[in-house]
Amino acid sequence: MKKLVVIGIALIALVGFTSALQAQSARDYISIVGSSTVYPFATVVAEQFGKTSGFKTPTIESTGSGGGLKLFCAGVGVEHPDITNASRRIKKSEFDTCQQNGVKDIIEVKIGYDGIVMANSKKSAPMKLTRKDIFMALAKDVPDPSGAEKLVPNPYKTWKDVNPDLPDKKIVVLGPPPTSGTRDAFVELAMEGGAKKFDYVKNLDKKMFKATAHTIREDGAYVEAGENDNLIVQKLEKDPDALGIFGFSFLDQNADKIQGSFVDGVAPTFDAIAAGDYPVSRPLYFYVKGAHVGSIPGIDAYLKEFTAEKAWGEDGYLSDKGLIPMPDEERKKFASDARSLNPLMLQ
Amino acid sequence: MEASQTAVNGAASATASQLLVDRSHRETIGQQFVENPRMTCRNVDVYYGDKRAINNVTLDIGSNEVIAMIGPSGCGKSTFLRCLNRMNDYIDICRVEGEIRLDGQNIYSGEVDVVPLRAMIGMVFQKPNPFPKSIYDNIAYGPKIHGLVATKSETDEVVETSLKKAGLWEEVKDRLDQPGTGLSGGQQQRLCIARTIAVNPEVILMDEPCSALDPIATSVIEDLIDELREQYTIAIVTHSMQQASRVSQRTAYFHLGDLIEVGTTDQIFTRPGHQLTEDYITGRFG
Amino acid sequence: MSDSTINAPASLAAMPSKRTIDVVNAGLAKRYRAEKRFRIYGVTAIILSLCFLTLLFVDIISKGYTAFWQTKVRIDVHLDPEVLQGENLQTADYPGLVKKSIRNLFPDVQGRKDRRLLNGIVSSGAAFQIRDLVTANPDRIGSTVQLWVPADDDVDMLMKGHMPRDVPEDERRLNDKQLAWIDQLQREGRLQKTFNRILFTVGDSREPELAGIMGAVMGSVYTLLITLVLSFPIGVATAVYLEEFAPKNPWTDLVEVNINNLAAVPSIVFGLLGLAVFLNFFGLPRSAPLVGGLVLTLMTLPTIIIASRAALKAVPPSVREAALGIGASKTQMVTHHVLPLALPGMLTGTIIGMAQALGETAPLLMIGMVAFIVDIPGGFTDPSTVLPVQIYLWADSPERAFVEKTSAAIMVLLAFLMTMNALAVFLRKRFERRW
Ligand SMILES: Nc1ncnc2c1ncn2[C@@H]1O[C@H](COP(=O)(O)OP(=O)(O)O)[C@@H](O)[C@H]1O
Ligand SMILES: [Mg+2]
């Protein structure tokens, strides 16, 4: 009995380590990392790809855009991911890191758009906000209400304080924590847009401007609700006065419970985001490691699957999942670039 | 009796409280030595850390004798007994100095291994401590680890003879596969004795083997010790002076780490040579 | 002698004149009151924790039990030789076959948009079901087969009552037309709820109706196997050495302090360590149960060591003396007597450690096990996730149908945990029976 156990343990350990050595020398599946916003779309493509292509299903980790690019740019070889998803474009500094680490050919694929919505429960009226309202309601420091050209700690308690046209309701906004890509995009697109409406804020030096526009108040009006957008939806149902910030796909899936707020007069609808009318929207990307095409099986087939009309087209299965497609022209350009593996150039 | 005592040892007739304070070594009186010793202890000191628990003890243990060790509790009887088979080795802070020989061989010298030593010098403890295994396994364990038995039938035989010698066979022969811990206290202690003699030792050390038993179980074990004497050398620590007088040929009286007096059991209990011995056996302190 | 008899009453007289029994009786009521109070506190605490536990279970089960059923649609698929003959059977146009058979059910639905909506009633998994059928029985090409295929998750939600019908059309994921089609299917007996086999047989999917827990279960099994196989022997050996053999010196003290400290280190730190050592230094594969097991081993070792040492300490010294007294060597004493007695306690510690490991996600994040993985892992180096990660990923998915799946996965996790505990209890009983 005891001997059997010992032999069993030894066997398992042996099998484990020999197979580890084997796996080290070859990887027969695509490894994808990156943005949590792109994750729901990439996973659908990967699953479809795995079921129809005969290749193994790619593994997809949701590491955030920055985390994904860091892993992606760490080097060439089976231990490094082949593709990274990003909810923003690659930065020059990241591109340079990639180059330094031997990741020379990077193929950029823009896949569509995502809208960031501010939504509230259907039990109350939809909000009609401007980006200026959003900035004034959520920034830590705002321009002095008296008109003097200085910043004061945010004094606004209700939406009516911010803008007399808005309802007399307490400002309560549930949103993602700073580690989230959604928060980054929200701050950049909505808050910055609002801050620019104040001339002297706009004229601050770049660093000061960023600090002003990107710093969200911490006095309880903005509640960090964690990365789980479903939780925010649940909380909105309980508190009709609260607003929540999340990706369009969650609004799409929960249209019976919540409604999106107008921003600058535009409601966050599929069409408005696709047309580029809704201001708080961002492009989504993924980046492919050119050096891995050919050595890791299936990368080109995956690119083909992703850029097929049935996936990212107007009526593709990704639009069912809430991805806002690019206009026809743009799709064509990126599809052909991707299929011919045109590497990205950044100055 | 009191008068004669004072005459023999007038110098030492101090009060008990004074004696407790006096920690300097006292010379042993009486017959420390025997003609054909099995074990010889010379100038043995035992320390627990800085504290000296045994103070320069010199004593012989003869072949096939039962020697009883008595004394007030805390005087170092167990400590001394445990030196004889090096049970103290496993107490980290315990240190033994001096010389203890078994058949002329110093048991504390580098060449002596404790494993065969303990196979030669078995030990029975104050509290019955059978292994949490079956009665059979309790007995068979020692012979097995020492390689004294090779086959099942040999083991069976050892188990049977050991239990018979310990006077337990009739009581347990039908339930050898039952746990040893399920026996009564007296049976458990006899099981422990059987376990000890199963290894066929030459010396048996017993540390108050009856202190946890009722009078009937005690007398059974006392009879057993008397029988075992023919084959083994036995050193027994006991609390009870009656027991010492019943089972032993010689008696050693310990007091606060000192060996005060050694003599034939008869002499110690009828004509103690030392005031302290007399105080103890007459019940003045203990 | 006579002195002491005179002295005795004097010392008694110094005591208060009251009889002891009176004093005791006077305080008795108070004593019992205190006792009763104490018991009430205890019972309250138990009831309270039972309430929380029930609440938790009721919540999870009420949300999740529907996930064990699945709505299926019966379609009649004509395995059209024109589509299938001469084609690669793997890549033929199966979705086309599905669409055609649905269209046959509703011949008067016209227009691209409506047809798309109509096709959406059946899961995309239907095509794969037909593919598997055809590749397994190529001789059936040309015949028409009747198939129960999974309905789309929205239909499933509607059938299970998780999606209200009585709200305005634009607030529903299914519009009035779709509702009408579904009602028609139901009238024709083409809708049915069956046991959700998919949930227990396949890996993850982004389509809730096609998502299963098996990939995560296997991932947990492989990961925990590695953890158990490494942490139990290493933990026990460490504990035995430290407790029984190690000399007492500053070095062993240092080791001891560090083991105790390790037990309090946040688990994510072990993930970072795993990333640096196993992935970056040894180059082991990402997302592999092997690495997950190694990381969780590091995490559980302190727990096992501490519990094992406590179990060893609890072995009565009399047993040790008994063994040593008949000449067992120190190793024999430990292996023959001390270890068997300490084993139940060690098992308890191990099971606590394993239960912790089963529930961990944080350390696995760093080594790539928090990932979307569809294929069921077949070995220690295949990419995989574990149960808690699957729960986390599903909880984070936008599709409404994943809500019940999440609760179902929690139930599976709990069942897994209970099985593990039961196994440990069983083993403990077995070892304890040997006295
Ligand atoms: N393990 C130990 N550590 C420290 N001191 C001990 C230990 N064992 C016994 N002693 C001390 O040694 C002295 C003698 O103890 P012991 O030999 O057990 O006495 P006895 O058996 O005669 O009652 C006592 O003072 C006791 O406190
Ligand atoms: Mg003692």
Side-chain angles (χ1 to χ4, degrees), chain A residues 300-312:
Chain A
D300 35 5
Y302 176 79
L303 277 172
K304 224 181 200 164
E305 174 75 35
F306 213 127
T307 57
E309 278 298 301
K310 70 168 167 121
W312 73 355

Side-chain angles (χ1 to χ4, degrees), chain B residues 73-74 76-79 126 207-208 237 239:
Chain B
S73 81
K77 307 179 295 285
S78 300
T79 301
Q126 181 166 0
D207 191 354
E208 304 192 24
V237 168
H239 231 77

Side-chain angles (χ1 to χ4, degrees), chain C residues 183-433:
Chain C
D183 290 342
Q184 186 186 333
L185 285 174
Q186 199 161 16
R187 273 196 307 277
E188 291 172 8
R190 286 182 179 273
L191 281 183
Q192 164 187 305
K193 266 190 266 176
T194 58
F195 177 69
N196 190 352
R197 254 171 44 108
I198 290 177
L199 183 64
F200 295 101
T201 49
V202 303
D204 198 7
S205 168
R206 281 308 316 287
E207 302 301 329
E209 73 273 14
L210 301 179
I213 194 86
M214 201 54 200
V217 169
M218 287 316 291
S220 277
V221 168
Y222 285 126
T223 307
L224 288 186
L225 216 58
I226 295 275
T227 308
L228 182 66
V229 160
L230 291 177
S231 64
F232 184 64
I234 296 178
V236 169
T238 310
V240 167
Y241 181 77
L242 285 179
E243 198 56 45
E244 304 286 337
F245 294 100
K248 268 248 154 274
N249 61 31
W251 287 113
T252 47
D253 285 351
L254 192 75
V255 169
E256 205 174 320
V257 168
N258 276 313
I259 287 172
N260 292 338
N261 283 341
L262 272 183
V265 166
S267 58
I268 184 114
V269 174
F270 291 105
L272 287 165
L273 188 75
L275 176 68
V277 175
F278 301 126
L279 296 191
N280 294 346
F281 186 73
F282 286 112
L284 294 176
R286 262 185 99 77
S287 311
L290 176 68
V291 182
L294 286 168
V295 167
L296 293 179
T297 299
L298 295 180
M299 199 196 80
T300 43
L301 262 180
T303 312
I304 297 184
I305 293 173
I306 290 169
S308 298
R309 291 190 66 179
L312 287 169
K313 274 205 189 92
V315 173
S318 66
V319 172
R320 297 162 194 271
E321 282 188 334
L324 293 175
I326 55 173
S329 69
K330 192 141 191 198
T331 312
Q332 283 170 332
M333 168 192 90
V334 171
T335 53
H336 296 167
H337 302 283
V338 178
L339 259 187
L341 288 178
L343 208 55
M346 293 175 163
L347 277 176
T348 308
T350 306
I351 206 69
I352 291 172
M354 297 300 287
Q356 260 174 15
L358 176 64
E360 274 299 338
T361 54
L364 302 181
L365 189 69
M366 307 311 301
I367 55 164
M369 287 188 85
V370 179
F372 175 71
I373 286 159
V374 174
D375 302 330
I376 295 176
F380 295 103
T381 53
D382 286 353
S384 65
T385 54
V386 290
L387 276 166
V389 169
Q390 193 65 78
I391 290 167
Y392 165 76
L393 290 177
W394 283 355
D396 212 17
S397 300
E399 289 82 3
R400 177 88 52 91
F402 273 123
V403 174
E404 59 167 30
K405 290 260 152 43
T406 306
S407 296
I410 293 173
M411 282 189 253
V412 171
L413 179 71
L414 288 177
F416 201 108
L417 203 69
M418 285 177 201
T419 318
M420 247 164 68
N421 268 323
L423 194 74
V425 170
F426 169 76
L427 284 177
R428 208 158 49 204
K429 280 268 150 61
R430 263 205 54 164
F431 284 119
E432 268 174 353
R433 210 177 299 151

Side-chain angles (χ1 to χ4, degrees), chain A residues 11-62:
Chain A
L11 264 180
I12 291 177
L14 198 74
V15 170
F17 281 98
T18 47
S19 55
L21 288 178
Q22 273 167 8
Q24 218 177 325
S25 52
R27 174 154 58 76
D28 57 354
Y29 57 90
I30 303 172
S31 166
I32 302 174
V33 295
S35 160
S36 53
T37 314
V38 184
Y39 174 87
F41 310 124
T43 46
V44 173
V45 177
E47 186 179 348
Q48 194 66 27
F49 168 78
K51 281 187 176 151
T52 54
S53 67
F55 292 106
K56 282 199 174 169
T57 312
T59 67
I60 304 184
E61 285 176 58
S62 165

